[in-house]
Every structure is written in structure tokens, then in C-alpha cells.
Amino acid sequence: MCDMDPIVELARQHDILVVEDVCQAMLAGYKGRIAGGVGDIGCFSFDAGKLLPTDNGGMAISDDADVIAAIRKFAVDRGADDLGPLGREHNGIGFNYRFGDMESAVGLAQLKILPDQLKRRVDLAERFTAKIADIEGVITPQVPEGQVHLHWLYPLQFDLKQFRVDASQMGEALSAEGLMCSPAMYYLIPHSHKFLPDREADLERLVNARTHLERTVRWGFTEKYTERDVDDMAAIVAKVTDAYRR
Ligand SMILES: *Cc1c(COP(=O)(O)O)cnc(C)c1O
């Protein structure tokens, strides 16, 4: 998770609501609280690739009744106020993003198995991290104190000075060995949002993000791996990094 306390504090100073994007962090933990319950609004996606899939759809939560009423009006009631039995007045822009009963039923069933799945996922990710931690030039993800991280994707980073290839070539070699992964540069907004103005200036400015992403490959981690899969993946990382070490 982001370090939420300073974000919330800054927002409070300026009277801004904090909207948490929890799409890949359902039940992630921050200082004893869970993702989506730290800011003012938590937004979730339940699409097929997320931690809790219902096939499609999503959810927004808040403990502020006015915020919930505004979300409902905009996203469910097509911009209408309820005027009692079967009456309504459309007085704003709104949509019909209703979440169906079938998806809801699937979601409730998924919610029951989610904690066990997440525990398995975290155990396997920690096993993998421990196996690759001593490989020269590999930078493993660090989970800050007081946080529960769920490893939706596994980001593997390289100290590129130690290797003869860049992260993209490293990713190709790992994939050829069976660990299907891809570079992470897409996450740099100017790369993925090509319609934005001043993209070149942003690329110059975003030094930390660029450094971080340039050395990263990632893939969708899953609780469906076996221990053997995780050990095989660690062996592939060792083999490929050895082959390309300076
Ligand atoms: C998937 C995802 C979204 C978008 O969710 P949709 O249900 O596809 O609209 C937004 N933010 C993050 C971080 C996501 O992973």
C-alpha cells in the first residue's frame, strides 16, 4: 500500500477527499486497517484478473452517508433523486453501473475463500523472495513494517550495473526459460497515455519512477502455484542472472 497517513493528512489540510484504488489490494493491510478503509472512499474492481473476481463489476465503499448517496445517484440511479414510491427526478448527469445479483452472489462466495487464498499467495511469495534474496544483482520487493502486501504482481528488479543486458532482455530470457514476465515501463504514465500533452517533459521529470521501472520485470503471481513451481522460478532467475552477469 501507499504510505497513507501523510496522504490523508495532506488531503485533510486542503479539504480534499482521498479515493483509494483498491483494485489489486483487497484485504491489504496498513497499520491495522485494510485497504479502502483508510481514506474517504475505497474503490474495487472485481474483474477476472483481480484478487476477488466476480467475472466483472466493482464496488465503492465509504462510511460517509453523503458520499454514498452521491455515488449511488451518479453510478446507479442515472443522476436521479428518489421522490418516494416510483417517483424520481433526473437533475444531474448519471449512469447505470448496477452490479448484478449473479455477480454479487459469486462475490460473496469468493469473499469466504479469499483470506485463505491470500494467505497461500503471501506464503508462496515469501518463499520465492527468500529463494532469490541472495542472488547477486537481484532486488527483491520489501514490505514496509506494519503492512500486509498481497503480491498481485511480483516485481523483480535488477541492479542493472551488474548485468550486460537491460530489464527487457532479461525478461525475454526469463520468459524463454518458462518464467513468463514482461518489463514494467508501461506503468510510466507518459508511456501508457500517449494522448497526454508534455509527455517529453514528464519523462524528464519522473526520474525516480523511471529508474524504478527501467530495472523491473513483473508477472501475475498466483496462489495456484505449487512449492515446486516457486522453486523452479527461483532456479530460472538464478540461471538467467548468472548467464548475463558482467
Ligand atoms: C483493474 C484496475 C482498475 C480498473 O478496474 P475496472 O474494473 O477494469 O474498471 C483500476 N485500477 C487498478 C489498480 C486496477 O488494477
Side-chain angles (χ1 to χ4, degrees), residues 150-244:
L150 301 172
H151 302 278
W152 181 69
L153 296 181
Y154 195 98
L156 187 64
Q157 304 203 10
F158 306 101
D159 176 9
L160 292 175
K161 294 188 301 295
Q162 301 193 34
F163 298 103
R164 286 180 279 117
V165 294
D166 62 17
S168 153
Q169 288 163 290
M170 198 75 95
E172 277 170 30
L174 290 166
S175 299
E177 292 289 330
L179 175 49
M180 304 300 286
C181 60
S182 50
M185 286 310 282
Y186 161 85
Y187 291 120
L188 205 60
I189 297 283
H191 278 265
S192 53
H193 294 60
K194 300 208 162 167
F195 57 87
L196 289 177
D198 299 327
R199 283 175 48 235
E200 292 305 316
D202 279 343
L203 285 173
E204 292 292 305
R205 217 162 35 82
L206 301 170
V207 182
N208 289 339
R210 226 175 47 217
T211 307
H212 181 74
L213 293 173
E214 264 166 9
R215 65 184 194 190
T216 302
V217 298
R218 88 291 194 220
W219 65 97
F221 206 82
T222 172
E223 64 279 350
K224 295 182 178 70
Y225 290 139
T226 62
E227 275 79 4
R228 166 90 194 273
D229 293 332
V230 166
D231 297 351
D232 286 350
M233 294 189 324
I236 291 171
V237 175
K239 178 178 174 185
V240 168
T241 48
D242 270 350
Y244 286 133

Side-chain angles (χ1 to χ4, degrees), residues 108-120:
L108 289 171
Q110 294 279 36
L111 195 55
K112 288 198 188 121
I113 59 174
L114 185 67
D116 285 345
Q117 282 182 333
L118 295 178
K119 182 172 182 317
R120 171 85 182 146

